[in-house]
Amino acid sequence: MNISALLTSAGINTAVCVGLFSLYSVLRKQPSLVGVYFGQKLSQSKSRCEDPFWFGRLIPSASWIVKAWEASEDELYAIGGVDAVVFLRAVVFSIRVFTVAAIVCLFLVLPLNYFGKEMDHKEFPDEQLIVFTIGNVEEGSRWLWAHCLALYIITCCACILLYFEYKNITKMRLTHITASHSYPSHFTVIVRAIPWVQEESYNETLTKFFTDFYSSSYLSHQMIHHSGTVQKLMSDAEKMYKILKSTHKEQYCGTRLMRCGFCGGTATSFKMLSDERASARRETCSESDGLDERKKECGAALVFFRTRYAALVASEALQSTNPMSWVTDSAPEPCDVFWSNLCVPYRLLWIRKIAVIVALVFFVTFFLFPVVFTQSLVHLDKLTKIFPFMKKLAKRKIMAQLLSGYLPSVVFIIFLYIVPPLMMLFSTLEGAISRSGRKRSTCIKVMYFVIWNVFFANILTEAAIDHYQVSITKLVDAKHIPNLLAKAVPATATFFMTYVLTSGWASLSVELIQPFPLLCNLFYRFILRNKDDSSYAYTFPYHTEVPRVLLFGLLGFTCSILAPLILPFLLVYFVLAFLVYRNQIINVYVTEYESGGLYWPIVHNTTIFSLVLTQIIALGVFGLKESPVSLAFTFPLIICTLLFHQYCRHRFNPVFRKIPAKVAIEMDREDEQYGRVEDIHQKLQSAYCQFRSKALNLHTSGEQNNTESSSVTVSVGTERGDASRFEDVDEITPGKIIVLD
């Protein structure tokens, strides 16, 4: 690939970004799209928007960028929780470390790569990108010490930043744990694999066990029941509640329900009887109790303890001599429980995990085909030797630039869109007991997948394509594998540059536009004629965005000294990501549950892996380039990086796996001191309700905050020239929204 092909890709993606960013700044001002671009605020409120048309709504503006930049970390914490702050700190970490890397590598390493060999360089647009990589440096060059020095600077900077971030996020997690004394999960333990006794039910068996062995600390318990049919009914009820919900006690929604854009139905009025919140809650729980009696109990239950410390001890202890029975785990928060997986027999989980691993292996193997196809398009000149009929396309300059500079990454990204939903399914089958745990497990699977298929598979494919004409036997000869990989890594960096442009820059603009909610909104309004401002809001997609950021970090580290030209594109991506994700957290995504910062160990471990992999690749390149000094100095760097990782793993990581006993005991003492014990115990009895509709929960919680709420009309940009009146949707009243993962 040459410079002109790279510039073609950069130009196309820049135009896409500018166009979609401008379109977003216009769309977010439209009152009809408030449910798409202000879902987070609508999750706490609802409004009726009355807005006369004015020309300022059609003019793009950058006010959303200013507001995203000015938002403080405390505001982001209040809106998105610890996970949102952790994710944004990962982006800020990348900006800092790659700023240092760009300064060092662009001014020190890049000139040495470009002038590494005595050769006649072509004109700039026709210059091949390989001349900007370490592959252009002569063997035995005395300037390779500069690459080793740059590697030391980048590694030291990354480790220092990682240490302080890990330390600060650990404090943030402890603050989150102690911030509220009413977290039900602190007093609750999930018990699975309850032994079956023929003469008694699971309920009786569990009661005998905990009254016998935890008589002083055991408070009560709640059995888990099979919830297939009931859960389906509740899901249908949520959908109907969204259609029939009202801003007042009485709602007339016949036109919304009965009419569509192709037929005119008569309006049928539905009248919702006004009930007190307490009676609604009482009726729901009574119905649930009646259903519970008719449903078969699962071998699982939620057990409540009198103190946090007792719950902590019970969750960590081995309850029986048979590890496959009486299995205990810390319970998630009520809104975070994944109820359907609690009914899965514990003895089947290991079989499910093996099946998921086998399925992952088959899927990764299948995905090698699009990898080979996209990587072959990058090397169009070599592909024409294998397929002569493509020579006509290669002769056309514009077609060649599109095929080699833009199309490969686009095709590859299209194939990657099927990965997150499939990994979410695998994580569900594994038996995650919390929604945040399922998303975190999906995040790890997606991260492993993209690292292998985007990085390693492309490198191996590059080696195969590059040496196809030389000798196919060399690919299976162990003696030639190091040489092939050392040459393939710098050459593959050209594909990684276009991948950053397409998967990075363009994906951020698509994230802003929110195409799927936008299409759903248009369907509801113009097909179903539903004029309600509320919509389906989504939780933040950590399982897709965290792996994306970490993958770009891996590409940045590994290519920093091998192909420094990628660093400016990465820096632009991370700066745009910082602004876009802050805007989405503030305005779009709903935080219904979180893990309390458990994504940071994933970020830390992946960054260490990226650093060590970079050092190992550099070790091989220095060996092939016959630079014994650089080779000798790289060994201690690998050892020091691994030692640093072990220190952080022992110093900080245990806090992310367990609640410290000291913290639990101090909180218990404060409860006794301020007389909160009885109140907490009473709330525990009704905190977890398996069959309670989520929509009813959110609705009643809104009534708790504002029992006398009434609809408020929001005037949107009624003054000429005021282009941002609608961008602060504040004076609106509490309501309900359906939340999707």
Side-chain angles (χ1 to χ4, degrees), residues 126-144:
D126 298 325
E127 191 74 87
Q128 294 295 317
L129 292 177
I130 192 67
V131 302
F132 296 97
T133 68
I134 200 172
N136 197 48
V137 179
E138 291 183 347
E139 296 181 359
S141 173
R142 67 179 187 275
W143 295 109
L144 285 170

Side-chain angles (χ1 to χ4, degrees), residues 21-326:
F21 276 42
S22 301
L23 178 62
Y24 166 75
S25 67
V26 173
L27 292 178
R28 73 193 305 267
K29 300 175 187 175
Q30 311 308 313
S32 60
L33 301 179
V34 60
V36 178
Y37 300 115
F38 293 94
Q40 196 282 329
K41 293 185 177 180
L42 282 180
S43 67
Q44 305 298 328
S45 55
K46 63 184 176 181
S47 64
R48 289 184 294 109
C49 299
E50 297 179 357
D51 179 34
F53 175 80
W54 60 294
F55 186 71
R57 277 170 36 192
L58 304 179
I59 300 177
S61 63
S63 58
W64 68 271
I65 297 178
V66 177
K67 293 180 180 179
W69 178 269
E70 292 177 347
S72 64
E73 189 172 277
D74 292 336
E75 294 174 356
L76 294 168
Y77 176 81
I79 296 172
V82 181
D83 289 341
V85 177
V86 165
F87 174 73
L88 291 174
R89 285 203 174 186
V91 176
V92 173
F93 164 80
S94 301
I95 294 175
R96 291 172 177 171
V97 71
F98 289 119
T99 298
V100 175
I103 294 173
V104 173
C105 295
L106 292 179
F107 292 99
L108 178 62
V109 175
L110 186 63
L112 297 178
N113 290 344
Y114 187 73
F115 297 104
K117 292 181 179 179
E118 294 183 1
M119 57 183 297
D120 295 330
H121 292 282
K122 301 179 181 179
E123 295 183 2
F124 185 76
D126 298 325
E127 191 74 87
Q128 294 295 317
L129 292 177
I130 192 67
V131 302
F132 296 97
T133 68
I134 200 172
N136 197 48
V137 179
E138 291 183 347
E139 296 181 359
S141 173
R142 67 179 187 275
W143 295 109
L144 285 170
W145 65 266
H147 297 75
C148 184
L149 176 62
L151 185 61
Y152 262 86
I153 294 174
I154 294 171
T155 302
C156 292
C157 178
C159 289
I160 292 172
L161 291 174
L162 277 177
Y163 173 80
F164 286 107
E165 289 292 346
Y166 217 150
K167 183 178 180 180
N168 293 332
I169 292 173
T170 301
K171 293 180 181 178
M172 187 186 305
R173 174 171 171 80
L174 292 174
T175 303
H176 170 73
I177 293 173
T178 59
S180 176
H181 288 265
S182 59
Y183 287 139
S185 60
H186 291 179
F187 298 86
T188 310
V189 172
I190 289 182
V191 181
R192 291 182 290 176
I194 301 174
W196 171 254
V197 179
Q198 189 68 30
E199 295 79 11
E200 57 189 19
S201 64
Y202 284 123
N203 186 19
E204 296 171 342
T205 303
L206 184 138
T207 303
K208 290 181 180 179
F209 181 87
F210 281 94
T211 52
D212 186 14
F213 295 103
Y214 292 91
S215 57
S216 61
S217 58
Y218 166 72
L219 181 63
S220 63
H221 70 271
Q222 176 182 323
M223 297 303 300
I224 307 298
H225 298 80
H226 291 288
S227 58
T229 304
V230 176
Q231 206 65 25
K232 184 179 184 301
L233 291 174
M234 286 300 175
S235 178
D236 294 339
E238 288 178 3
K239 296 178 182 178
M240 291 302 299
Y241 184 86
K242 181 181 183 298
I243 297 175
L244 302 176
K245 70 175 187 157
S246 63
T247 56
H248 296 291
K249 298 295 184 180
E250 191 174 288
Q251 176 190 26
Y252 298 95
C253 56
T255 55
R256 298 177 184 174
L257 182 63
M258 303 296 295
R259 291 183 179 179
C260 65
F262 305 103
C263 59
T266 60
T268 304
S269 297
F270 290 84
K271 185 175 182 180
M272 299 181 66
L273 299 178
S274 60
D275 293 321
E276 296 295 332
R277 176 176 57 84
S279 62
R281 183 187 297 266
R282 190 163 50 248
E283 180 182 352
T284 305
C285 289
S286 64
E287 291 177 0
S288 299
D289 294 339
L291 290 171
D292 290 348
E293 293 174 359
R294 296 191 296 269
K295 289 295 176 180
K296 183 180 178 181
E297 295 174 342
C298 298
L302 294 164
V303 180
F304 307 109
F305 290 85
R306 298 183 183 278
T307 63
R308 297 174 182 82
Y309 180 70
L312 179 63
V313 172
S315 65
E316 298 294 336
L318 184 64
Q319 305 297 331
S320 172
T321 54
N322 180 10
M324 295 292 289
S325 65
W326 295 110

Side-chain angles (χ1 to χ4, degrees), residues 7 29 64 74 126 135 145 149 166 188 239 248 253 365-366 424 428 443 473-474 510 518 595 604-605 647 698 710:
L7 294 178
K29 300 175 187 175
W64 68 271
D74 292 336
D126 298 325
W145 65 266
L149 176 62
Y166 217 150
T188 310
K239 296 178 182 178
H248 296 291
C253 56
T365 304
F366 166 78
M424 182 69 79
T428 304
C443 172
T473 58
K474 290 185 178 182
V510 173
L518 181 61
S595 66
H604 176 87
N605 295 337
Y647 171 78
L698 292 175
S710 60

Side-chain angles (χ1 to χ4, degrees), residues 382-397:
K382 298 171 184 176
L383 199 63
T384 55
K385 297 179 181 179
I386 304 174
F387 303 104
F389 65 88
M390 298 186 66
K391 290 183 178 179
K392 294 182 179 180
L393 291 176
K395 291 180 180 179
R396 299 180 180 180
K397 188 174 182 180

Side-chain angles (χ1 to χ4, degrees), residues 652-672:
F652 301 116
N653 194 53
V655 178
F656 290 81
R657 291 186 286 110
K658 303 176 183 178
I659 297 177
K662 177 183 177 182
V663 173
I665 294 173
E666 289 178 349
M667 295 179 70
D668 289 334
R669 289 174 178 174
E670 289 182 10
D671 290 341
E672 294 179 359

